[in-house]
Amino acid sequence: MTEPAVSIGEAAALYGIAPSALRWWERQGVLDPPARDGGRRRYRDRDLRRIGLAYLCCVIGKMPLGQAAVVTSGKTTCEDRQRTIGEQLALLERRIAQLEAAGGYLRHLLCCADDDIARCPVLEGDLSTHTPRGRIAEGDLVTAARAARALGDENPVDRPRGDENTVLCPGCLEPVAPSARGRPRKYCSPACRQRAYRARRGNPA
């Protein structure tokens, strides 16, 4: 008895992604090419399970394709897979900590009732704690600014990401790595590109 199979359009629809994403994941080694019938891809149960795993890694786990391929391809050792997952988990935990700190500060900022928040009496402490200004010992800001310039510190530790040379992903606001060739990248990852695609089609899930 022939094992039931579906087309690439049906396989993609199961996970709410574009068929082009499956072709791209194949080219990047995230998915093995499925069997073909008359030159057309045919996806069986095991193929659909592996697509689901790729979705979980790339979209939910936010893994770059190179890392996702280690997990989804079925061609690597358990040790390699666990190391790759651990590396991504550590990265996400760092980002979560950064976002929690950002949220904590914004909640703190909500408590200021001054009409002009720049005159808030605790602002100076916040500047010393949360910005590179805290590295300068001088008490007032004008003197501290002069001291910072005199030190020739042109590369702060926490350089703002939104400078003129940085492209931010419209999906997650993470920096987009420059493309080595071809057109400049707009999104930081295929996962963000797919989320934007689904949003345009009215399917944000």
Side-chain angles (χ1 to χ4, degrees), residues 75-107:
K75 300 176 182 178
T76 57
T77 65
C78 180
E79 181 181 5
D80 287 340
R81 184 177 69 246
Q82 290 179 338
R83 183 180 65 252
T84 299
I85 294 171
E87 290 171 352
Q88 179 67 3
L89 181 59
L91 173 63
L92 292 177
E93 288 173 343
R94 288 195 298 271
R95 290 180 178 174
I96 289 169
Q98 292 168 352
L99 290 172
E100 287 177 343
Y105 180 70
L106 291 178
R107 285 190 292 271

PDB file of all heavy atoms in Angstrom, residues 75-107:
ATOM      1  N   LYS A  75      21.177  14.170  10.758  1.00  0.00           N
ATOM      2  CA  LYS A  75      22.477  13.684  10.312  1.00  0.00           C
ATOM      3  C   LYS A  75      23.594  13.992  11.299  1.00  0.00           C
ATOM      4  O   LYS A  75      24.756  13.739  11.000  1.00  0.00           O
ATOM      5  CB  LYS A  75      22.822  14.310   8.955  1.00  0.00           C
ATOM      6  CG  LYS A  75      21.820  13.982   7.851  1.00  0.00           C
ATOM      7  CD  LYS A  75      22.159  14.717   6.569  1.00  0.00           C
ATOM      8  CE  LYS A  75      21.134  14.418   5.486  1.00  0.00           C
ATOM      9  NZ  LYS A  75      21.408  15.171   4.239  1.00  0.00           N
ATOM     10  N   THR A  76      23.264  14.563  12.449  1.00  0.00           N
ATOM     11  CA  THR A  76      24.281  14.926  13.430  1.00  0.00           C
ATOM     12  C   THR A  76      24.120  14.090  14.690  1.00  0.00           C
ATOM     13  O   THR A  76      23.081  13.447  14.911  1.00  0.00           O
ATOM     14  CB  THR A  76      24.164  16.417  13.794  1.00  0.00           C
ATOM     15  OG1 THR A  76      22.841  16.690  14.282  1.00  0.00           O
ATOM     16  CG2 THR A  76      24.420  17.295  12.583  1.00  0.00           C
ATOM     17  N   THR A  77      25.135  14.129  15.529  1.00  0.00           N
ATOM     18  CA  THR A  77      25.093  13.351  16.761  1.00  0.00           C
ATOM     19  C   THR A  77      24.229  14.053  17.810  1.00  0.00           C
ATOM     20  O   THR A  77      23.979  15.260  17.725  1.00  0.00           O
ATOM     21  CB  THR A  77      26.501  13.164  17.332  1.00  0.00           C
ATOM     22  OG1 THR A  77      27.025  14.449  17.715  1.00  0.00           O
ATOM     23  CG2 THR A  77      27.433  12.535  16.297  1.00  0.00           C
ATOM     24  N   CYS A  78      23.818  13.289  18.792  1.00  0.00           N
ATOM     25  CA  CYS A  78      23.039  13.860  19.899  1.00  0.00           C
ATOM     26  C   CYS A  78      23.861  14.935  20.614  1.00  0.00           C
ATOM     27  O   CYS A  78      23.318  15.963  21.024  1.00  0.00           O
ATOM     28  CB  CYS A  78      22.646  12.749  20.864  1.00  0.00           C
ATOM     29  SG  CYS A  78      21.689  13.301  22.287  1.00  0.00           S
ATOM     30  N   GLU A  79      25.151  14.707  20.739  1.00  0.00           N
ATOM     31  CA  GLU A  79      26.026  15.678  21.412  1.00  0.00           C
ATOM     32  C   GLU A  79      26.050  17.004  20.655  1.00  0.00           C
ATOM     33  O   GLU A  79      25.935  18.078  21.259  1.00  0.00           O
ATOM     34  CB  GLU A  79      27.444  15.114  21.524  1.00  0.00           C
ATOM     35  CG  GLU A  79      28.420  16.053  22.225  1.00  0.00           C
ATOM     36  CD  GLU A  79      29.814  15.457  22.290  1.00  0.00           C
ATOM     37  OE1 GLU A  79      30.044  14.366  21.709  1.00  0.00           O
ATOM     38  OE2 GLU A  79      30.689  16.078  22.932  1.00  0.00           O
ATOM     39  N   ASP A  80      26.190  16.931  19.322  1.00  0.00           N
ATOM     40  CA  ASP A  80      26.199  18.159  18.518  1.00  0.00           C
ATOM     41  C   ASP A  80      24.852  18.874  18.613  1.00  0.00           C
ATOM     42  O   ASP A  80      24.794  20.102  18.709  1.00  0.00           O
ATOM     43  CB  ASP A  80      26.505  17.835  17.052  1.00  0.00           C
ATOM     44  CG  ASP A  80      27.961  17.458  16.840  1.00  0.00           C
ATOM     45  OD1 ASP A  80      28.794  17.806  17.698  1.00  0.00           O
ATOM     46  OD2 ASP A  80      28.253  16.807  15.817  1.00  0.00           O
ATOM     47  N   ARG A  81      23.781  18.099  18.569  1.00  0.00           N
ATOM     48  CA  ARG A  81      22.458  18.689  18.645  1.00  0.00           C
ATOM     49  C   ARG A  81      22.244  19.395  19.984  1.00  0.00           C
ATOM     50  O   ARG A  81      21.759  20.529  20.034  1.00  0.00           O
ATOM     51  CB  ARG A  81      21.398  17.605  18.438  1.00  0.00           C
ATOM     52  CG  ARG A  81      19.974  18.144  18.404  1.00  0.00           C
ATOM     53  CD  ARG A  81      18.968  17.055  18.114  1.00  0.00           C
ATOM     54  NE  ARG A  81      18.857  16.109  19.221  1.00  0.00           N
ATOM     55  CZ  ARG A  81      19.208  14.830  19.166  1.00  0.00           C
ATOM     56  NH1 ARG A  81      19.706  14.339  18.051  1.00  0.00           N
ATOM     57  NH2 ARG A  81      19.060  14.035  20.212  1.00  0.00           N
ATOM     58  N   GLN A  82      22.617  18.741  21.067  1.00  0.00           N
ATOM     59  CA  GLN A  82      22.420  19.334  22.386  1.00  0.00           C
ATOM     60  C   GLN A  82      23.295  20.570  22.576  1.00  0.00           C
ATOM     61  O   GLN A  82      22.865  21.552  23.198  1.00  0.00           O
ATOM     62  CB  GLN A  82      22.710  18.293  23.463  1.00  0.00           C
ATOM     63  CG  GLN A  82      21.655  17.191  23.524  1.00  0.00           C
ATOM     64  CD  GLN A  82      21.967  16.151  24.580  1.00  0.00           C
ATOM     65  OE1 GLN A  82      23.117  15.987  25.001  1.00  0.00           O
ATOM     66  NE2 GLN A  82      20.943  15.424  25.021  1.00  0.00           N
ATOM     67  N   ARG A  83      24.515  20.538  22.039  1.00  0.00           N
ATOM     68  CA  ARG A  83      25.384  21.711  22.156  1.00  0.00           C
ATOM     69  C   ARG A  83      24.777  22.894  21.397  1.00  0.00           C
ATOM     70  O   ARG A  83      24.768  24.022  21.898  1.00  0.00           O
ATOM     71  CB  ARG A  83      26.774  21.404  21.609  1.00  0.00           C
ATOM     72  CG  ARG A  83      27.742  22.586  21.773  1.00  0.00           C
ATOM     73  CD  ARG A  83      29.120  22.281  21.240  1.00  0.00           C
ATOM     74  NE  ARG A  83      29.127  22.071  19.803  1.00  0.00           N
ATOM     75  CZ  ARG A  83      29.303  20.889  19.222  1.00  0.00           C
ATOM     76  NH1 ARG A  83      29.487  19.806  19.956  1.00  0.00           N
ATOM     77  NH2 ARG A  83      29.298  20.782  17.912  1.00  0.00           N
ATOM     78  N   THR A  84      24.255  22.648  20.209  1.00  0.00           N
ATOM     79  CA  THR A  84      23.652  23.713  19.403  1.00  0.00           C
ATOM     80  C   THR A  84      22.429  24.299  20.102  1.00  0.00           C
ATOM     81  O   THR A  84      22.253  25.519  20.161  1.00  0.00           O
ATOM     82  CB  THR A  84      23.264  23.174  18.018  1.00  0.00           C
ATOM     83  OG1 THR A  84      24.447  22.702  17.359  1.00  0.00           O
ATOM     84  CG2 THR A  84      22.622  24.258  17.167  1.00  0.00           C
ATOM     85  N   ILE A  85      21.582  23.421  20.629  1.00  0.00           N
ATOM     86  CA  ILE A  85      20.399  23.892  21.344  1.00  0.00           C
ATOM     87  C   ILE A  85      20.809  24.691  22.577  1.00  0.00           C
ATOM     88  O   ILE A  85      20.234  25.746  22.875  1.00  0.00           O
ATOM     89  CB  ILE A  85      19.505  22.705  21.743  1.00  0.00           C
ATOM     90  CG1 ILE A  85      18.935  22.035  20.493  1.00  0.00           C
ATOM     91  CG2 ILE A  85      18.368  23.162  22.670  1.00  0.00           C
ATOM     92  CD1 ILE A  85      18.214  20.723  20.774  1.00  0.00           C
ATOM     93  N   GLY A  86      21.821  24.223  23.284  1.00  0.00           N
ATOM     94  CA  GLY A  86      22.294  24.932  24.474  1.00  0.00           C
ATOM     95  C   GLY A  86      22.820  26.314  24.149  1.00  0.00           C
ATOM     96  O   GLY A  86      22.590  27.273  24.903  1.00  0.00           O
ATOM     97  N   GLU A  87      23.534  26.442  23.033  1.00  0.00           N
ATOM     98  CA  GLU A  87      24.059  27.746  22.631  1.00  0.00           C
ATOM     99  C   GLU A  87      22.924  28.722  22.327  1.00  0.00           C
ATOM    100  O   GLU A  87      22.968  29.887  22.726  1.00  0.00           O
ATOM    101  CB  GLU A  87      24.969  27.588  21.403  1.00  0.00           C
ATOM    102  CG  GLU A  87      26.285  26.883  21.710  1.00  0.00           C
ATOM    103  CD  GLU A  87      27.060  26.539  20.451  1.00  0.00           C
ATOM    104  OE1 GLU A  87      26.497  26.715  19.335  1.00  0.00           O
ATOM    105  OE2 GLU A  87      28.225  26.099  20.568  1.00  0.00           O
ATOM    106  N   GLN A  88      21.901  28.243  21.607  1.00  0.00           N
ATOM    107  CA  GLN A  88      20.768  29.109  21.294  1.00  0.00           C
ATOM    108  C   GLN A  88      19.999  29.476  22.558  1.00  0.00           C
ATOM    109  O   GLN A  88      19.547  30.621  22.720  1.00  0.00           O
ATOM    110  CB  GLN A  88      19.852  28.428  20.286  1.00  0.00           C
ATOM    111  CG  GLN A  88      18.618  29.243  19.898  1.00  0.00           C
ATOM    112  CD  GLN A  88      18.954  30.501  19.113  1.00  0.00           C
ATOM    113  OE1 GLN A  88      20.108  30.755  18.800  1.00  0.00           O
ATOM    114  NE2 GLN A  88      17.947  31.286  18.803  1.00  0.00           N
ATOM    115  N   LEU A  89      19.852  28.529  23.457  1.00  0.00           N
ATOM    116  CA  LEU A  89      19.146  28.799  24.711  1.00  0.00           C
ATOM    117  C   LEU A  89      19.883  29.853  25.529  1.00  0.00           C
ATOM    118  O   LEU A  89      19.258  30.765  26.088  1.00  0.00           O
ATOM    119  CB  LEU A  89      19.008  27.502  25.514  1.00  0.00           C
ATOM    120  CG  LEU A  89      18.271  27.605  26.846  1.00  0.00           C
ATOM    121  CD1 LEU A  89      16.853  28.113  26.633  1.00  0.00           C
ATOM    122  CD2 LEU A  89      18.252  26.253  27.544  1.00  0.00           C
ATOM    123  N   ALA A  90      21.212  29.760  25.579  1.00  0.00           N
ATOM    124  CA  ALA A  90      21.987  30.760  26.316  1.00  0.00           C
ATOM    125  C   ALA A  90      21.817  32.146  25.702  1.00  0.00           C
ATOM    126  O   ALA A  90      21.697  33.150  26.425  1.00  0.00           O
ATOM    127  CB  ALA A  90      23.462  30.359  26.330  1.00  0.00           C
ATOM    128  N   LEU A  91      21.787  32.210  24.359  1.00  0.00           N
ATOM    129  CA  LEU A  91      21.592  33.489  23.683  1.00  0.00           C
ATOM    130  C   LEU A  91      20.224  34.074  24.019  1.00  0.00           C
ATOM    131  O   LEU A  91      20.092  35.267  24.334  1.00  0.00           O
ATOM    132  CB  LEU A  91      21.735  33.301  22.172  1.00  0.00           C
ATOM    133  CG  LEU A  91      21.404  34.515  21.301  1.00  0.00           C
ATOM    134  CD1 LEU A  91      22.363  35.662  21.605  1.00  0.00           C
ATOM    135  CD2 LEU A  91      21.461  34.157  19.822  1.00  0.00           C
ATOM    136  N   LEU A  92      19.188  33.240  23.964  1.00  0.00           N
ATOM    137  CA  LEU A  92      17.842  33.722  24.272  1.00  0.00           C
ATOM    138  C   LEU A  92      17.734  34.169  25.725  1.00  0.00           C
ATOM    139  O   LEU A  92      17.062  35.167  26.020  1.00  0.00           O
ATOM    140  CB  LEU A  92      16.819  32.621  23.983  1.00  0.00           C
ATOM    141  CG  LEU A  92      16.630  32.255  22.515  1.00  0.00           C
ATOM    142  CD1 LEU A  92      15.636  31.104  22.384  1.00  0.00           C
ATOM    143  CD2 LEU A  92      16.169  33.447  21.695  1.00  0.00           C
ATOM    144  N   GLU A  93      18.389  33.466  26.621  1.00  0.00           N
ATOM    145  CA  GLU A  93      18.334  33.861  28.025  1.00  0.00           C
ATOM    146  C   GLU A  93      19.000  35.214  28.247  1.00  0.00           C
ATOM    147  O   GLU A  93      18.533  36.018  29.059  1.00  0.00           O
ATOM    148  CB  GLU A  93      18.985  32.780  28.898  1.00  0.00           C
ATOM    149  CG  GLU A  93      18.125  31.523  29.005  1.00  0.00           C
ATOM    150  CD  GLU A  93      18.828  30.384  29.723  1.00  0.00           C
ATOM    151  OE1 GLU A  93      20.077  30.429  29.851  1.00  0.00           O
ATOM    152  OE2 GLU A  93      18.128  29.434  30.150  1.00  0.00           O
ATOM    153  N   ARG A  94      20.081  35.480  27.508  1.00  0.00           N
ATOM    154  CA  ARG A  94      20.709  36.806  27.610  1.00  0.00           C
ATOM    155  C   ARG A  94      19.764  37.880  27.093  1.00  0.00           C
ATOM    156  O   ARG A  94      19.643  38.962  27.686  1.00  0.00           O
ATOM    157  CB  ARG A  94      22.028  36.835  26.824  1.00  0.00           C
ATOM    158  CG  ARG A  94      23.145  36.045  27.484  1.00  0.00           C
ATOM    159  CD  ARG A  94      24.500  36.386  26.887  1.00  0.00           C
ATOM    160  NE  ARG A  94      24.588  36.047  25.472  1.00  0.00           N
ATOM    161  CZ  ARG A  94      24.984  34.869  25.013  1.00  0.00           C
ATOM    162  NH1 ARG A  94      25.293  33.895  25.852  1.00  0.00           N
ATOM    163  NH2 ARG A  94      25.061  34.653  23.706  1.00  0.00           N
ATOM    164  N   ARG A  95      19.093  37.595  25.975  1.00  0.00           N
ATOM    165  CA  ARG A  95      18.152  38.572  25.422  1.00  0.00           C
ATOM    166  C   ARG A  95      16.968  38.790  26.357  1.00  0.00           C
ATOM    167  O   ARG A  95      16.488  39.914  26.521  1.00  0.00           O
ATOM    168  CB  ARG A  95      17.659  38.104  24.058  1.00  0.00           C
ATOM    169  CG  ARG A  95      18.736  38.154  22.976  1.00  0.00           C
ATOM    170  CD  ARG A  95      18.186  37.689  21.643  1.00  0.00           C
ATOM    171  NE  ARG A  95      19.198  37.773  20.594  1.00  0.00           N
ATOM    172  CZ  ARG A  95      19.022  37.326  19.348  1.00  0.00           C
ATOM    173  NH1 ARG A  95      17.874  36.747  19.029  1.00  0.00           N
ATOM    174  NH2 ARG A  95      19.977  37.459  18.454  1.00  0.00           N
ATOM    175  N   ILE A  96      16.490  37.707  26.968  1.00  0.00           N
ATOM    176  CA  ILE A  96      15.387  37.832  27.914  1.00  0.00           C
ATOM    177  C   ILE A  96      15.792  38.712  29.087  1.00  0.00           C
ATOM    178  O   ILE A  96      15.020  39.569  29.533  1.00  0.00           O
ATOM    179  CB  ILE A  96      14.938  36.438  28.396  1.00  0.00           C
ATOM    180  CG1 ILE A  96      14.233  35.696  27.260  1.00  0.00           C
ATOM    181  CG2 ILE A  96      14.018  36.545  29.614  1.00  0.00           C
ATOM    182  CD1 ILE A  96      13.984  34.228  27.551  1.00  0.00           C
ATOM    183  N   ALA A  97      17.002  38.509  29.591  1.00  0.00           N
ATOM    184  CA  ALA A  97      17.484  39.334  30.703  1.00  0.00           C
ATOM    185  C   ALA A  97      17.554  40.802  30.300  1.00  0.00           C
ATOM    186  O   ALA A  97      17.194  41.699  31.086  1.00  0.00           O
ATOM    187  CB  ALA A  97      18.854  38.840  31.168  1.00  0.00           C
ATOM    188  N   GLN A  98      18.006  41.059  29.065  1.00  0.00           N
ATOM    189  CA  GLN A  98      18.075  42.439  28.591  1.00  0.00           C
ATOM    190  C   GLN A  98      16.676  43.047  28.480  1.00  0.00           C
ATOM    191  O   GLN A  98      16.452  44.199  28.866  1.00  0.00           O
ATOM    192  CB  GLN A  98      18.779  42.484  27.233  1.00  0.00           C
ATOM    193  CG  GLN A  98      20.259  42.130  27.299  1.00  0.00           C
ATOM    194  CD  GLN A  98      20.869  41.905  25.929  1.00  0.00           C
ATOM    195  OE1 GLN A  98      20.165  41.862  24.920  1.00  0.00           O
ATOM    196  NE2 GLN A  98      22.184  41.761  25.883  1.00  0.00           N
ATOM    197  N   LEU A  99      15.725  42.270  27.973  1.00  0.00           N
ATOM    198  CA  LEU A  99      14.362  42.778  27.835  1.00  0.00           C
ATOM    199  C   LEU A  99      13.711  42.991  29.197  1.00  0.00           C
ATOM    200  O   LEU A  99      12.963  43.955  29.398  1.00  0.00           O
ATOM    201  CB  LEU A  99      13.528  41.809  26.994  1.00  0.00           C
ATOM    202  CG  LEU A  99      13.895  41.742  25.510  1.00  0.00           C
ATOM    203  CD1 LEU A  99      13.132  40.599  24.830  1.00  0.00           C
ATOM    204  CD2 LEU A  99      13.607  43.060  24.815  1.00  0.00           C
ATOM    205  N   GLU A 100      13.982  42.105  30.140  1.00  0.00           N
ATOM    206  CA  GLU A 100      13.428  42.285  31.479  1.00  0.00           C
ATOM    207  C   GLU A 100      13.996  43.539  32.129  1.00  0.00           C
ATOM    208  O   GLU A 100      13.272  44.279  32.810  1.00  0.00           O
ATOM    209  CB  GLU A 100      13.716  41.054  32.336  1.00  0.00           C
ATOM    210  CG  GLU A 100      12.882  39.843  31.950  1.00  0.00           C
ATOM    211  CD  GLU A 100      13.223  38.611  32.766  1.00  0.00           C
ATOM    212  OE1 GLU A 100      14.309  38.597  33.388  1.00  0.00           O
ATOM    213  OE2 GLU A 100      12.407  37.659  32.773  1.00  0.00           O
ATOM    214  N   ALA A 101      15.296  43.779  31.920  1.00  0.00           N
ATOM    215  CA  ALA A 101      15.897  45.000  32.460  1.00  0.00           C
ATOM    216  C   ALA A 101      15.287  46.234  31.811  1.00  0.00           C
ATOM    217  O   ALA A 101      15.015  47.243  32.481  1.00  0.00           O
ATOM    218  CB  ALA A 101      17.411  44.971  32.248  1.00  0.00           C
ATOM    219  N   ALA A 102      15.053  46.155  30.501  1.00  0.00           N
ATOM    220  CA  ALA A 102      14.434  47.285  29.799  1.00  0.00           C
ATOM    221  C   ALA A 102      13.029  47.537  30.328  1.00  0.00           C
ATOM    222  O   ALA A 102      12.638  48.688  30.588  1.00  0.00           O
ATOM    223  CB  ALA A 102      14.391  47.000  28.291  1.00  0.00           C
ATOM    224  N   GLY A 103      12.252  46.463  30.498  1.00  0.00           N
ATOM    225  CA  GLY A 103      10.908  46.619  31.028  1.00  0.00           C
ATOM    226  C   GLY A 103      10.915  47.161  32.444  1.00  0.00           C
ATOM    227  O   GLY A 103      10.073  48.000  32.800  1.00  0.00           O
ATOM    228  N   GLY A 104      11.859  46.697  33.239  1.00  0.00           N
ATOM    229  CA  GLY A 104      11.952  47.188  34.613  1.00  0.00           C
ATOM    230  C   GLY A 104      12.227  48.676  34.659  1.00  0.00           C
ATOM    231  O   GLY A 104      11.638  49.403  35.473  1.00  0.00           O
ATOM    232  N   TYR A 105      13.122  49.133  33.787  1.00  0.00           N
ATOM    233  CA  TYR A 105      13.410  50.564  33.804  1.00  0.00           C
ATOM    234  C   TYR A 105      12.227  51.381  33.317  1.00  0.00           C
ATOM    235  O   TYR A 105      11.918  52.438  33.881  1.00  0.00           O
ATOM    236  CB  TYR A 105      14.646  50.903  32.969  1.00  0.00           C
ATOM    237  CG  TYR A 105      14.904  52.387  33.020  1.00  0.00           C
ATOM    238  CD1 TYR A 105      15.352  52.968  34.201  1.00  0.00           C
ATOM    239  CD2 TYR A 105      14.607  53.210  31.948  1.00  0.00           C
ATOM    240  CE1 TYR A 105      15.524  54.343  34.300  1.00  0.00           C
ATOM    241  CE2 TYR A 105      14.773  54.582  32.038  1.00  0.00           C
ATOM    242  CZ  TYR A 105      15.245  55.134  33.213  1.00  0.00           C
ATOM    243  OH  TYR A 105      15.400  56.500  33.321  1.00  0.00           O
ATOM    244  N   LEU A 106      11.549  50.908  32.286  1.00  0.00           N
ATOM    245  CA  LEU A 106      10.387  51.658  31.787  1.00  0.00           C
ATOM    246  C   LEU A 106       9.273  51.721  32.838  1.00  0.00           C
ATOM    247  O   LEU A 106       8.588  52.739  32.966  1.00  0.00           O
ATOM    248  CB  LEU A 106       9.882  51.040  30.493  1.00  0.00           C
ATOM    249  CG  LEU A 106      10.821  51.198  29.288  1.00  0.00           C
ATOM    250  CD1 LEU A 106      10.234  50.512  28.069  1.00  0.00           C
ATOM    251  CD2 LEU A 106      11.106  52.659  28.996  1.00  0.00           C
ATOM    252  N   ARG A 107       9.095  50.632  33.607  1.00  0.00           N
ATOM    253  CA  ARG A 107       8.118  50.674  34.696  1.00  0.00           C
ATOM    254  C   ARG A 107       8.532  51.702  35.746  1.00  0.00           C
ATOM    255  O   ARG A 107       7.694  52.437  36.288  1.00  0.00           O
ATOM    256  CB  ARG A 107       7.969  49.287  35.325  1.00  0.00           C
ATOM    257  CG  ARG A 107       7.160  48.320  34.466  1.00  0.00           C
ATOM    258  CD  ARG A 107       6.833  47.043  35.215  1.00  0.00           C
ATOM    259  NE  ARG A 107       8.038  46.246  35.467  1.00  0.00           N
ATOM    260  CZ  ARG A 107       8.505  45.346  34.621  1.00  0.00           C
ATOM    261  NH1 ARG A 107       7.881  45.115  33.471  1.00  0.00           N
ATOM    262  NH2 ARG A 107       9.587  44.661  34.916  1.00  0.00           N
TER     263      ARG A 107
END
